[in-house]
């Protein structure tokens, strides 16, 4: 069996940091972790990786990507050219790109061909990050995303229930509901509330009975509050999170994915992105910043959600999202927990997000310690997925 031993390394295991540790990988699993001074006998037969002066972490988990989009400035144009076959091809390329940046698992929150790509990666046909696909997103008739081919329009609690069942039948391992308007759909507001509480409740009840988590796209304050109350597992964007909603999220354990890379992709490229999207994004930046601070104060648990695939928001941006979350007030250690263990819990994948015996050997080795300097994430020295080494990319 293929085996390697990482010696004398600083280890962030998904929860805390310890020094002078050793980690043994046999096959696709971590089989031992402990003080390097007590290196196990099996390590003698394994190949050696020098961890001295370096930091080992679990592979990063990006809980919000769109693998069938490359992040073109003209989002609508990219969407118009999309087909299931092209979506699957783009998804395999983009899943690989995530892997090269140390992102070993992604959740695809709306795509065409992405379920098939996820399957091909799992079967080992093509290399790439693990993919937890949501299939097509659920939106109201005329709602956010209705015009880009990765969402289905559905109205009424019974129809929502049917749509959830159909996406799961097609292979979805998560469900995405679009609970408010959005920035990238022309002709609609970003903050209006779309689904009714009954529709959201039906989606959550049905998805949970199948053991699938629910992600709600929600920008406006009412939509965020309504999604939390309906019992969704994560609120994506959450740009208008009130103090009351933040408290409720903390109490319920609802995860928050602030998608700071999506905001930056638009406001930093105003000349290239369509005016309607720039105007909406600019009007929400202050709200987003205040909401992030409020959520941190309330103790809301966060995840890494880039929304990669939106304009100028490249796949493999997981490190940039965590760096941005720290720039907006989170500690580097909390950001690393968000990007690893919290993501695994949200995605309901029990054997990733930590470095411990029995867990998948999804690992990243950095020259510097990202729990002290989060920018270390930009330069992974070595990446493994399921014990197999991947060449890091730029
Ligand atoms: Zn999205």
């Amino acid at each position: 069996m293929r085996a390697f031993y990482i010696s004398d390394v600083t280890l962030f295991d998904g929860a805390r940091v310890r020094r002078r540790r050793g980690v043994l990988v046999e096959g696709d699993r971590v089989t031992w972790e402990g003080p390097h001074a007590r290196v196990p006998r099996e390590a003698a037969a394994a190949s050696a990786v020098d961890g001295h002066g370096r930091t080992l972490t679990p592979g990063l988990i990006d809980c919000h990507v769109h693998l069938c989009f490359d992040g073109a400035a003209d989002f609508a144009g990219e969407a118009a050219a999309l087909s299931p076959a092209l979506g699957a091809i783009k998804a395999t390329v983009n899943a690989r790109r995530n892997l090269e940046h140390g992102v070993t698992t992604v959740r695809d929150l709306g795509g065409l061909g992405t379920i098939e790509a996820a399957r091909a990666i799992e079967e080992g046909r093509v290399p790439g990050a693990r993919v937890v696909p949501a299939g097509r997103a659920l939106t109201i008739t005329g709602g956010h995303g209705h015009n880009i081919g990765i969402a289905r329009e559905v109205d009424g609690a019974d129809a929502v229930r049917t749509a959830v069942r159909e996406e799961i039948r097609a292979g979805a391992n998560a469900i995405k509901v679009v609970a408010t308007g959005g920035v990238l759909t022309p002709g609609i507001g970003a903050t209006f509330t779309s689904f009714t509480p009954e529709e959201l409740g039906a989606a959550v009840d049905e998805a949970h009975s199948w053991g699938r988590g629910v992600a709600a796209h929600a920008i406006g304050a009412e939509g965020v509050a309504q999604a939390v109350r309906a019992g969704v597992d994560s609120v994506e964007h959450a740009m208008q999170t009130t103090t009351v909603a933040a408290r409720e999220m903390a109490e319920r354990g609802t995860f928050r994915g602030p998608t700071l890379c999506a905001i930056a992709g638009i406001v930093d490229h105003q000349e290239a992105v369509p005016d309607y999207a720039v105007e909406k994004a600019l009007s929400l930046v202050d709200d987003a910043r205040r909401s992030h601070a409020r959520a941190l104060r309330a103790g809301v648990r966060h995840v890494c959600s880039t929304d990669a695939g939106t304009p100028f928001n490249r796949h493999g941006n997981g490190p940039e999202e965590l760096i941005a979350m720290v720039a907006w007030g989170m500690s580097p250690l909390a950001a690393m927990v968000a990007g690893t263990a919290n993501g695994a819990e949200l995605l309901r994948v029990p054997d990733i997000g930590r470095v411990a015996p029995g867990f998948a050997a999804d690992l990243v080795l950095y020259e510097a310690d990202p729990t002290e300097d989060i920018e270390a994430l930009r330069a992974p020295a070595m990446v493994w997925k399921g014990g197999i080494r991947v060449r890091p990319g730029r």
Side-chain angles (χ1 to χ4, degrees):
M1 189 171 31
R2 195 165 31 79
F4 59 94
Y5 178 72
I6 305 168
S7 61
D8 191 20
V9 75
T10 298
L11 175 67
F12 167 69
D13 64 1
R16 57 183 175 146
V17 183
R18 282 169 295 169
R19 309 201 185 278
R20 290 186 288 282
R21 306 299 284 185
V23 174
L24 180 66
V25 172
E26 293 173 290
D28 64 351
R29 300 276 135 183
V30 171
T31 53
W32 185 87
E33 185 279 311
H36 172 55
R38 280 192 255 135
V39 47
R41 194 178 320 125
E42 293 82 0
S47 58
V49 177
D50 184 8
H52 183 75
R54 296 163 146 183
T55 299
L56 186 72
T57 75
L60 300 180
I61 300 170
D62 188 340
C63 296
H64 187 157
V65 302
H66 298 279
L67 290 172
C68 66
F69 292 126
D70 294 334
D74 176 16
F75 189 69
E78 196 183 353
L82 195 63
S83 67
L86 182 60
I89 291 167
K90 287 165 99 169
T92 58
V93 174
N94 288 327
R96 182 170 194 165
R97 203 177 151 73
N98 273 287
L99 195 50
E100 289 167 350
H101 288 259
V103 180
T104 51
T105 301
V106 299
R107 179 172 64 171
D108 188 275
L109 287 184
L112 260 193
T114 41
I115 286 172
E116 290 74 11
R119 219 171 263 153
I121 291 166
E122 195 177 330
E123 290 169 354
R125 295 177 192 280
V126 285
R130 301 172 197 279
V131 181
V132 175
R136 287 174 296 167
L138 276 47
T139 194
I140 63 167
T141 293
H144 173 56
H146 78 273
N147 56 332
I148 56 171
I150 62 162
R152 54 187 289 175
E153 295 169 287
V154 56
D155 304 287
D158 285 348
V160 165
R161 232 175 243 284
T162 304
V164 169
R165 290 172 184 164
E166 287 176 353
E167 292 309 313
I168 291 172
R169 182 180 61 191
N173 280 326
I175 292 296
K176 161 86 171 286
V177 291
V178 180
T180 69
V183 169
L184 287 172
T185 306
I188 67 169
T191 57
F192 81 94
T193 305
S194 53
F195 280 122
T196 64
E198 292 69 32
E199 288 168 325
L200 285 182
V204 170
D205 183 60
E206 190 62 32
H208 284 179
S209 78
W210 291 84
R212 263 68 162 189
V214 178
H217 158 112
I219 292 176
E222 187 187 58
V224 170
Q226 200 164 280
V228 173
R229 234 171 288 134
V232 304
D233 301 86
S234 76
V235 180
E236 306 293 321
H237 314 302
M239 293 166 92
Q240 293 181 344
T241 307
T242 63
T243 304
V244 173
R247 271 197 217 117
E248 192 167 351
M249 290 177 84
E251 262 163 42
R252 286 173 166 269
T254 314
F255 288 104
R256 182 171 180 275
T259 63
L260 305 185
C261 284
I263 303 172
I266 297 169
V267 304
D268 293 348
H269 298 89
Q270 296 181 28
E271 66 305 326
V273 178
D275 288 343
Y276 66 83
V278 172
E279 277 163 30
K280 284 191 271 186
L282 283 176
S283 74
L284 287 161
V285 174
D286 288 344
D287 281 349
R289 192 185 287 271
R290 277 193 292 267
S291 293
H292 195 62
R294 267 184 217 124
L296 292 181
R297 272 198 303 276
V300 176
R301 293 197 297 169
H302 282 76
V303 289
C304 174
S305 281
T306 59
D307 209 359
T310 55
F312 297 96
N313 185 0
R314 304 194 311 169
H315 287 279
N317 254 354
E320 296 303 323
E321 182 71 19
L322 296 175
I323 290 166
M325 280 158 75
V326 170
W328 279 21
M330 190 177 251
S331 77
L333 180 62
M336 287 303 294
V337 173
T340 57
N342 282 1
E345 183 181 334
L346 172 61
L347 269 47
R348 303 179 179 219
V349 184
D351 63 346
I352 61 169
R354 290 187 184 271
V355 181
F359 278 71
D362 292 4
L363 304 166
V364 189
L365 192 64
Y366 298 98
E367 298 294 352
D369 182 352
T371 67
E372 287 176 356
D373 176 9
I374 195 75
E375 295 191 11
L377 292 179
R378 285 194 176 125
M382 295 188 194
V383 180
W384 296 267
K385 179 197 159 204
I388 294 172
R389 175 103 178 257
V390 184
R391 202 157 56 86
R394 281 280 75 216

